[in-house]
């Protein structure tokens, strides 16, 4: 029987933590009940125990990890006299493991990586030799010796090679006129014939040889701006023998001042065949550029990864954005800004190498179907990463050691064979870890199977793990039926309940006249019964829980736990949830049904009928009755004996004698009310053991009467003061008015002007008569 489990585990297994989640197998012959399928033998440990399967018989095979090769990482210094071959240097540990996997159970192992000092480096310089790179070629001619001098600071084992590219040698990428095929440049420029890719110098440790051969190179030319660099990169990657790659750090420097053609662009030249990703160098020249299209980016990524090549794009500032996007698609690649004449190429290479070598990224080969792998990185200074970040560590210096926790999990057994192999390696490095996978697909008891057992109806099957595995042509739980001798209609009749039409209640298959119930996706949900008419998941639910979470479902009916009842076990018989603070059930205002108070009066609400939003309040409700019984007054004075005998009245001398809430274990309300004479009276209302008690202060608190003399004196004094104030105000206003009028008069007097002329019609009223006789004596 195939086994599935549902828990996470690593190298170590803690049974106390996982026993409740694992599916175990019970191999006892009489373990299954009527209608149960063979898969019902698999269940969690406690369920199997509850069904009387002895613990020592329960099957539970475990996965395992075996380290087959575990060579320690290399520890050596650059100035060490001991010179190791590349294959003798180890940077990753372990190198080979064997994992035994059980479905659903991960196996976790640790992988260690350490950058070795003085690790060999192969660098291939691939240069665009179109006409726009003319001045760059002059600066590259001395690159060999200069770069080797710089790289000696990093490694004592350094090799360098050189290649160049232009474009496909067909229209419209180049001019195919005879003259332009000889010299594609215009004017007096002397250029070499156009070509796709040329391997000028395979990898060598002789820098002067690099300088000599590069000095002999000539610029060529083409028509369009994008170049055929992808063709060249593909050939550099796949032509390992011609390039001279070793199993060491491989760097490819791609130098250009233009963009690139990619898959599909070849159609412009009538080239439709996809790039085959194979080596086509003859005499160090790429001969199939006119036959195969440019490679796609994905194709390049695959080949660069397969051959462990790290790419450095040395491009001018104008094309930085384009190659930055390309860098995001090609793992373990870098982009540097190339000056207009390539004068900074050595610094660019050193910086890019340091950037690439300071990061390790793990990748794995293609996984078999149903297998998953997760990574967790433990990087420098204990920094941890998970998910995609779990595959890589950054800022690693030479000599730094980092580790990875790798978990491999299988969800099912492979369809062919019982072993697989996957490989895990750091990008850009030739070393890898080989992981051999073996799968547990059968229980241990299957190896002890009894062939042609008499327990399987006269030897018609193999008895293994408590059940019969029928021979060809036989069916039934005990292999008691033959497919050729029995009519299906006769067998089906035994699988219909009450001569109905449904075979096995549509929940199973009729096998040899016996129902074998179907298996659900959820292993905890099962069909059972002779006709598969029962199940344990179709019972009533409450709060979205089967049987309210307070019972078990058996044959579509809830079997409730103690203190619960109802079709969904949603009715609690426990009345503790209905008890109010005063110890009464529902405050005496309702009944407790299924642990919930049902208030008899609709005006009461709350978990224990303690709230009454529409009630006037305890104080206002009992005010009139307290007033009539304690003081023989109020609105209910005439009907007091009839309406107000429902409580026990207790009088106290003053309010300090009233009961206090902190002294009581039952609810207590303090009240202060006013009567028709504006007198206050104080009382408390409480319910003690179903008895309503009212404590009331025996004396009313009435306000004192008014003092008449001060009031009259105050009124008279107020009137007098108001009169005097009004007189003063009037006097003040008159003074102001008079002063304004006098000022106005004085102003007009000063501005007056008198005319001294006489009125011509004026006649004086005086007549003067002179005596003629008067002589003035």
């Amino acid at each position: 029987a195939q086994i599935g489990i549902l828990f996470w585990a690593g190298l170590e297994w803690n049974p106390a933590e996982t026993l409740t989640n694992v599916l175990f197998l019970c191999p006892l012959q009489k373990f299954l009940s009527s209608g149960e399928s063979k898969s019902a033998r698999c269940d969690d440990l406690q369920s199997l125990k509850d069904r009387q399967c002895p613990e020592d018989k329960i099957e539970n095979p475990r996965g395992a990890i075996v380290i087959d090769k575990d060579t320690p990482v290399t520890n050596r210094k650059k100035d060490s006299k001991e010179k190791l071959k590349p294959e003798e240097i180890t940077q990753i540990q372990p190198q080979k493991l064997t994992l035994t996997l059980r479905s659903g159970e991960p196996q976790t192992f640790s992988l260690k990586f350490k950058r070795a000092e003085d690790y060999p480096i192969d660098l291939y310089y691939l240069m665009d030799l179109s006409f726009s790179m003319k001045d760059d070629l002059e600066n590259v001619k001395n690159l060999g010796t200069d770069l080797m001098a710089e790289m000696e600071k990093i490694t004592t084992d350094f090799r360098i090679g050189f290649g160049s590219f232009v474009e496909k040698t067909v229209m419209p990428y180049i001019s195919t006129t005879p003259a332009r095929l000889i010299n594609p440049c215009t004017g007096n420029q002397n250029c070499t014939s156009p070509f796709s890719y040329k391997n000028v110098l395979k990898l060598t440790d002789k820098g002067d040889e690099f300088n000599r051969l590069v000095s002999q190179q000539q610029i060529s030319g083409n028509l369009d701006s994008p170049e055929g660099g992808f063709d060249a990169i593909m050939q550099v990657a796949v032509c390992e023998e011609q390039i001279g790659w070793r199993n060491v750090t491989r760097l490819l420097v791609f130098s250009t001042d233009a963009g690139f053609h990619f898959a599909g662009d070849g159609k412009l030249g009538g080239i439709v065949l996809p790039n085959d990703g194979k080596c086509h160098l003859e005499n160090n020249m790429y001969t199939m550029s006119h036959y195969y299209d440019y490679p796609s980016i994905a194709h390049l990524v695959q080949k660069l990864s397969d051959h462990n090549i790290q790419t450095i794009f040395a491009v001018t500032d104008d094309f930085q954005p384009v190659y930055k996007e390309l860098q995001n698609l090609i793992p373990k690649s870098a982009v540097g800004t190339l000056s207009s004449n390539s004068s900074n190429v050595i610094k660019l290479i050193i910086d890019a190498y340091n950037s690439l070598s300071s990061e390790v990224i793990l990748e794995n080969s293609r996984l078999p179907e149903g297998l998953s792998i997760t990574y967790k990185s433990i990087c420098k200074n204990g920094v941890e990463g998970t998910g995609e970040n779990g595959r890589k560590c950054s800022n690693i210096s030479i000599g730094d050691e980092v580790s990875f926790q790798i978990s491999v999990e299988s969800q099912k057994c492979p369809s062919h064979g019982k072993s697989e192999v996957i490989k895990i390696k750091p990008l850009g490095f030739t070393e890898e870890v080989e992981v051999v996978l073996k799968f547990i697909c059968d229980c241990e008891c299957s190896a002890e199977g009894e062939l042609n057992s008499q327990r399987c109806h006269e030897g018609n099957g193999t008895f293994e793990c408590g059940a019969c595995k029928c021979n060809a042509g036989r069916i039934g739980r005990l292999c008691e039926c033959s497919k050729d001798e029995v009519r299906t209609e006769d067998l089906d009749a035994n699988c219909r309940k009450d001569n109905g039409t449904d075979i096995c209640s549509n929940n199973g298959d009729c096998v040899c006249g016996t129902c074998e119930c179907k298996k659900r996706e959820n292993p905890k949900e099962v069909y059972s019964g002779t006709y598969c008419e029962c199940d344990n998941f179709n019972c009533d639910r409450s709060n979205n829980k089967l049987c309210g979470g307070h019972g078990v479902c058996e044959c579509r009916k809830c079997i409730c736990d103690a203190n619960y009842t109802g079709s969904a076990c949603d009715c609690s018989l426990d009345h503790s949830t209905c008890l109010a603070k005063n110890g009464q059930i529902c405050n005496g205002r309702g009944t407790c049904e299924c642990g919930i108070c049902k208030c008899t009066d609709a005006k009461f609400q709350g978990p224990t009928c303690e709230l009454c939003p529409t009630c006037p309040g305890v104080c206002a409700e009992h005010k009139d009755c307290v007033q009539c019984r304690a003081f023989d007054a109020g609105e209910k004075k005439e009907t007091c004996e009839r309406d107000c005998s429902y409580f026990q009245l207790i009088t106290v001398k003053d309010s300090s004698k009233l009961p206090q809430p902190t002294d009581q274990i039952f609810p207590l309300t303090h009240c202060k009310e006013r009567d028709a004479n504006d007198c206050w009276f104080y009382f408390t209302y409480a319910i003690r053991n179903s008895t309503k008690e009212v404590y009331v202060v025996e004396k009313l608190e009435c306000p004192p009467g008014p003092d008449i003399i001060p009031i009259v004196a105050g009124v008279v004094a107020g009137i007098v003061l108001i009169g005097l104030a009004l007189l003063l105000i009037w006097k003040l206003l008159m003074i102001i008015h008079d002063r304004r009028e006098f000022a106005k008069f004085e102003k007009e007097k000063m501005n007056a002007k008198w005319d001294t002329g006489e009125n011509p019609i004026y006649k004086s009223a005086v007549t003067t008569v002179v005596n003629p006789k008067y002589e003035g004596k």
Side-chain angles (χ1 to χ4, degrees):
Q2 185 171 344
I3 299 176
I5 63 174
L6 306 171
F7 76 100
W8 177 272
L11 285 172
E12 298 182 359
W13 173 53
N14 186 348
E17 295 178 354
T18 59
L19 286 179
T20 58
N21 298 320
V22 181
L23 290 183
F24 300 81
L25 178 107
C26 183
L28 297 184
Q29 181 180 4
K30 297 182 179 180
F31 177 73
L32 299 178
S33 59
S34 178
E36 285 188 298
S37 63
K38 295 178 182 180
S39 61
R41 294 179 178 275
C42 289
D43 209 335
D44 61 83
L45 181 62
Q46 190 57 47
S47 296
L48 294 179
K49 287 182 179 180
D50 294 343
R51 297 171 62 187
Q52 309 305 315
C53 185
E55 188 172 357
D56 59 339
K57 298 292 184 180
I58 296 176
E59 292 263 353
N60 180 32
R62 309 296 304 174
I65 295 178
V66 177
I67 298 178
D68 302 314
K69 186 177 180 182
D70 194 29
T71 305
V73 292
T74 302
N75 291 303
R76 69 167 185 150
K77 300 294 183 180
K78 178 183 174 185
D79 53 0
S80 175
K81 295 182 179 180
E82 180 186 8
K83 295 297 180 183
L84 299 177
K85 297 179 180 179
E87 56 270 17
E88 296 175 336
I89 300 175
T90 302
Q91 297 184 107
I92 192 167
Q93 177 189 0
Q95 295 79 39
K96 184 176 180 181
L97 307 93
T98 298
L99 305 185
T100 303
L101 300 177
R102 175 180 173 179
S103 296
E105 176 190 8
Q107 295 295 332
T108 302
F109 62 92
S110 179
L111 186 148
K112 184 191 302 181
F113 177 86
K114 182 177 182 180
R115 278 189 63 189
E117 190 170 353
D118 196 27
Y119 194 71
I121 299 174
D122 285 353
L123 185 147
Y124 192 86
Y125 196 92
L126 182 60
M127 185 174 181
D128 175 8
L129 285 188
S130 59
F131 187 76
S132 58
M133 295 285 286
K134 180 179 180 181
D135 53 347
D136 300 79
L137 181 60
E138 294 299 321
N139 286 308
V140 175
K141 288 179 179 179
N142 296 320
L143 178 65
T145 53
D146 294 344
L147 184 58
M148 294 198 77
E150 282 294 324
M151 294 300 289
E152 282 181 358
K153 300 176 183 178
I154 300 174
T155 178
T156 57
D157 189 356
F158 176 72
R159 299 200 310 172
I160 189 171
F162 184 83
S164 58
F165 66 92
V166 181
E167 188 55 277
K168 288 185 180 295
T169 55
V170 295
M171 282 288 288
Y173 312 111
I174 65 168
S175 175
T176 55
T177 61
R180 292 296 182 212
L181 286 175
I182 297 174
N183 183 3
C185 302
T186 58
N188 297 322
Q189 300 293 335
N190 185 21
C191 298
T192 189
S193 301
F195 57 91
S196 176
Y197 162 67
K198 176 167 56 177
N199 178 29
V200 178
L201 174 66
K202 70 183 300 185
L203 291 164
T204 178
D205 57 0
K206 299 175 182 178
D208 53 353
E209 180 71 8
F210 180 96
N211 294 349
R212 184 182 68 82
L213 289 176
V214 173
S215 298
Q216 298 174 2
Q217 302 306 303
Q218 287 182 292
I219 290 295
S220 185
N222 61 321
L223 295 179
D224 62 341
S225 176
E227 314 295 1
F230 276 16
D231 273 342
I233 293 176
M234 178 62 76
Q235 293 303 301
V236 171
V238 299
C239 298
E240 289 195 352
E241 183 178 349
Q242 290 87 336
I243 302 299
W245 292 116
R246 299 177 295 170
N247 286 331
V248 297
T249 298
R250 298 176 176 182
L251 300 178
L252 169 61
V253 180
F254 182 83
S255 175
T256 184
D257 64 349
F260 48 82
H261 285 296
F262 53 89
D265 289 353
K267 293 180 180 179
L268 294 173
I271 303 172
V272 296
L273 285 179
N275 194 287
D276 64 351
K278 295 180 181 179
C279 182
H280 297 288
L281 289 185
E282 294 183 10
N283 296 323
N284 288 322
M285 297 290 290
Y286 179 40
T287 58
M288 303 297 286
S289 67
H290 64 287
Y291 191 76
Y292 290 116
D293 193 5
Y294 302 98
S296 66
I297 295 176
H299 200 180
L300 273 186
V301 170
Q302 178 194 346
K303 292 300 180 182
L304 290 172
S305 175
D306 290 345
H307 296 274
N308 306 305
I309 296 174
Q310 304 176 63
T311 310
I312 301 172
F313 295 103
V315 298
T316 54
D317 190 61
D318 293 341
F319 287 91
Q320 281 287 309
V322 175
Y323 284 89
K324 286 285 187 183
E325 292 295 327
L326 184 60
Q327 177 194 9
N328 295 332
L329 301 174
I330 301 179
K332 293 292 282 184
S333 63
V335 177
T337 303
L338 189 68
S339 62
S340 58
N341 58 2
S342 296
S343 58
N344 68 331
V345 67
I346 294 180
K347 182 178 184 304
L348 185 154
I349 292 173
I350 299 297
D351 291 344
Y353 169 73
N354 290 332
S355 173
L356 290 172
S357 60
S358 66
E359 183 178 50
V360 57
I361 302 175
L362 296 185
E363 70 167 0
N364 51 266
S365 60
R366 186 172 181 178
L367 300 177
E369 185 181 358
L371 196 75
S372 63
I373 185 168
T374 58
Y375 295 84
K376 177 183 177 182
S377 59
I378 304 167
C379 304
K380 195 173 179 180
N381 300 323
V383 177
E384 296 185 356
T386 56
E388 284 301 311
N389 291 329
R391 290 176 173 266
K392 60 185 179 181
C393 283
S394 303
N395 300 320
I396 304 174
S397 304
I398 292 176
D400 287 343
E401 185 176 295
V402 297
S403 62
F404 299 85
Q405 296 292 327
I406 304 175
S407 294
V408 182
E409 180 181 359
S410 173
Q411 296 298 337
K412 63 178 183 179
C413 287
S415 56
H416 56 283
K418 290 190 176 182
S419 66
E420 297 279 356
V421 176
I422 62 172
K423 294 184 178 181
I424 301 173
K425 69 174 184 177
L427 281 173
F429 295 85
T430 57
E431 297 175 67
E432 62 185 15
V433 178
E434 181 180 346
V435 182
V436 179
L437 305 176
K438 296 183 178 180
F439 301 89
I440 300 175
C441 298
D442 296 303
C443 294
E444 295 177 2
C445 57
S446 62
E448 302 173 358
E450 181 183 341
L451 292 174
N452 301 321
S453 173
Q454 292 300 314
R455 286 181 283 188
C456 298
H457 194 267
E458 300 177 356
N460 288 317
T462 301
F463 186 80
E464 63 180 38
C465 298
C468 286
K469 184 177 180 182
C470 298
N471 297 335
R474 305 296 296 188
I475 57 175
R477 178 171 290 189
L478 299 177
C479 310
E480 65 271 26
C481 296
S482 171
K483 292 182 179 179
D484 301 327
E485 298 175 359
V486 181
R487 293 177 56 191
T488 303
E489 294 81 1
D490 296 337
L491 295 177
D492 288 349
N494 296 328
C495 296
R496 293 188 176 95
K497 183 179 180 181
D498 300 330
N499 292 325
T501 58
D502 296 333
I503 296 177
C504 298
S505 305
N506 289 329
N507 296 322
D509 299 317
C510 187
V511 179
C512 196
T514 302
C515 284
E516 287 194 3
C517 302
K518 294 178 181 177
K519 185 178 179 181
R520 303 268 298 177
E521 290 185 7
N522 184 349
K524 294 186 178 297
E525 297 179 356
V526 295
Y527 292 107
S528 60
T530 305
Y531 302 100
C532 302
E533 73 277 12
C534 296
D535 62 61
N536 65 348
F537 55 87
N538 271 325
C539 291
D540 290 342
R541 293 176 178 265
S542 178
N543 294 327
N544 203 30
K545 294 181 179 179
L546 193 67
C547 297
H550 303 298
V552 294
C553 181
E554 293 184 5
C555 202
R556 303 187 179 183
K557 289 185 179 180
C558 287
I559 307 299
C560 299
D561 298 338
N563 289 330
Y564 284 94
T565 185
S567 62
C569 301
D570 53 352
C571 183
S572 173
L573 301 178
D574 184 7
H575 291 175
S576 61
T577 55
C578 296
L579 285 177
K581 293 181 180 180
N582 59 7
Q584 292 183 304
I585 297 293
C586 303
N587 272 304
R589 299 166 179 163
T591 58
C592 186
E593 298 179 9
C594 298
I596 300 174
C597 281
K598 301 292 185 181
C599 304
T600 52
D601 193 333
K603 68 181 181 180
F604 290 104
Q605 299 176 7
T608 56
C609 303
E610 73 278 14
L611 303 177
C612 183
T614 60
C615 293
V618 174
C619 296
E621 181 181 358
H622 304 291
K623 167 188 172 182
D624 293 335
C625 283
V626 172
Q627 191 177 5
C628 79
R629 289 188 60 182
F631 306 106
D632 195 22
E635 296 180 2
K636 294 188 176 182
K637 178 180 178 181
E638 302 298 331
T639 60
C640 190
E641 185 176 351
R642 184 190 69 192
D643 297 339
C644 300
S645 59
Y646 59 87
F647 60 84
Q648 179 183 352
L649 183 68
I650 305 166
T651 59
V652 296
K653 289 184 177 182
D654 55 61
S655 58
S656 63
K657 304 296 184 181
L658 292 173
Q660 300 300 317
T662 54
D663 301 334
Q664 312 298 324
I665 61 173
F666 46 84
L668 178 72
T669 304
H670 274 255
C671 300
K672 178 183 178 182
E673 295 293 334
R674 186 164 54 185
D675 63 11
N677 298 321
D678 286 335
C679 293
W680 295 96
F681 59 96
Y682 299 86
F683 66 94
T684 63
Y685 180 84
I687 301 177
R688 186 203 301 265
N689 298 328
S690 302
T691 301
K692 298 173 183 178
E693 295 179 348
V694 174
Y695 284 76
V696 63
V697 178
E698 61 185 11
K699 291 183 180 181
L700 295 170
E701 187 179 285
C702 298
D707 194 347
I708 301 300
I709 294 175
I711 294 175
V712 172
V715 171
V716 172
I719 292 173
V720 172
L721 289 175
I722 292 173
L724 289 175
L726 290 175
L727 286 173
L728 289 173
I729 293 172
W730 175 81
K731 182 63 177 176
L732 180 62
L733 292 175
M734 292 304 296
I735 291 172
I736 294 173
H737 179 266
D738 289 346
R739 287 184 177 181
R740 285 181 177 175
E741 289 297 320
F742 181 75
K744 183 177 179 182
F745 169 75
E746 288 292 331
K747 183 177 180 181
E748 290 179 351
K749 180 180 176 182
M750 292 179 64
N751 292 335
K753 293 181 181 180
W754 304 98
D755 190 359
T756 58
E758 294 183 358
N759 189 349
I761 65 173
Y762 172 76
K763 291 183 179 181
S764 175
V766 179
T767 302
T768 304
V769 178
V770 180
N771 189 353
K773 295 294 187 171
Y774 177 69
E775 294 179 354
K777 294 181 179 179

